Amino acid sequence: MRNFLTAEQKAALEETAAAVAAPGKGITACDESAGTIGKRFEAVGIENSEENRRKYRQMLFEADGCENYLSAAILDPETLYQKSDTSGKLFPEVLTEKGIVPGIKPHLKIYTLPGTDGDTVMQGLDSLNVRCKEYYEGGARFAKWRSPLVIDMSKGCPTNLAIKANMQDLARYALICQSEGLMPIVEPDVSLTGTHTLEEAIDVNIRVQSELFKAMVDHGVYMAGSTLKPNIINAGRDCPTSYSVEEIAAANIFVLEQSFPVAMKGANYLSGGQSLEDAAARLSAINKNKGNGPWNLSFSWSQAIQLPVLALCKGKGELQLEEMSKLYVDELKIASAAAKGEWDGKAGDGDHSI
């Protein structure tokens, strides 16, 4: 594969990757579509209007002290072009001035692969280069693409076809992003739903991640100018076997050691439906046990942080921005401590048991 990036382009991508991988900081993932955030608003009695979405995201970006714990923020395209009503500036400029790198979610909708018994691929590669160019001009400096997969051992899912198709798509997305100046975050999201054991999760995730990194190398992606957003390796939520947080942490380190390129500076774990307590306990245990691993291992959480914040609005009828802002920063402090291996929650936090 011909090396198509100039030295200056590589340096810019690597600079963004390094900024996102700042030790002790992580990513606030607020790239939910209007429909997804609308469901969360509806659950607590908040109207899903564009103005409420704007005010809510402004709180996430301007909360006092959030920049001490955040390296980056993933935005929905709608949010990229909205403004702060305190400064009149577009949100990417607001974030950049706080030292938080603004990014964008460019993927579109999930499509079911025929003949795979439910496996899916993500759509959105068509015209991606045009959209990436627009997003870069709008202030974004990285992008994030999610490729969801589900483990179902009885159905043989994810199939080899689904793994290959999704990882090829992630590699092509990464290549297109880099050609337009955006540092790509690749997110192979293996769901925590199901009954699979921790050992089965390890096997599937190694297959997925090794396929991803080979596809990226084959496509000519500049690995040092890219970032991984993985799921926590864990047993399915309905798996009857119990595992300690230490066993879960060891599984995650083992998977990284099998194929995660040392050229990549970091991985920012998604929450994937975990509570803040479990997500923080597991991330902290991973960092306590990563040994000589060269990567910065941090967070890129949405639900784990946002659902408790939104719960403050229940029964109030409107956004409780001041109260929400304080809780949000308190939660970011926990996430930051976990990213440094310094969070100690309650006994049992992070264990898998049903």
Side-chain angles (χ1 to χ4, degrees), residues 311-328:
L312 295 174
C313 304
K314 200 158 191 178
K316 306 291 180 57
E318 61 183 19
L319 293 167
Q320 305 296 299
L321 295 172
E322 185 175 351
E323 192 178 355
M324 295 166 77
S325 176
K326 291 177 181 177
L327 177 59
Y328 173 58

Side-chain angles (χ1 to χ4, degrees), residues 40 112 201 225 279 296 310:
R40 296 183 188 176
T112 301
N296 184 69
L310 284 168

Side-chain angles (χ1 to χ4, degrees), residues 24-26 63-70 276 280-281 283-284 298-299 301 305 309 325-344:
K25 295 186 177 184
D64 187 32
C66 69
E67 66 273 14
N68 296 322
Y69 313 106
L70 293 176
L276 177 63
L283 178 59
S284 190
S298 190
F299 62 91
W301 295 342
I305 287 177
V309 169
S325 176
K326 291 177 181 177
L327 177 59
Y328 173 58
V329 173
D330 286 344
E331 291 178 327
L332 290 178
K333 289 178 184 177
I334 293 172
S336 173
K340 294 181 284 189
E342 298 173 357
W343 175 250
D344 293 308

Side-chain angles (χ1 to χ4, degrees), residues 185-208:
I185 294 180
V186 289
E187 181 184 357
D189 178 7
V190 181
S191 174
L192 296 178
T193 60
T195 60
H196 55 273
T197 65
L198 181 61
E199 294 74 19
E200 289 168 335
I202 290 171
D203 290 344
V204 170
N205 278 275
I206 289 174
R207 285 169 57 207
V208 169

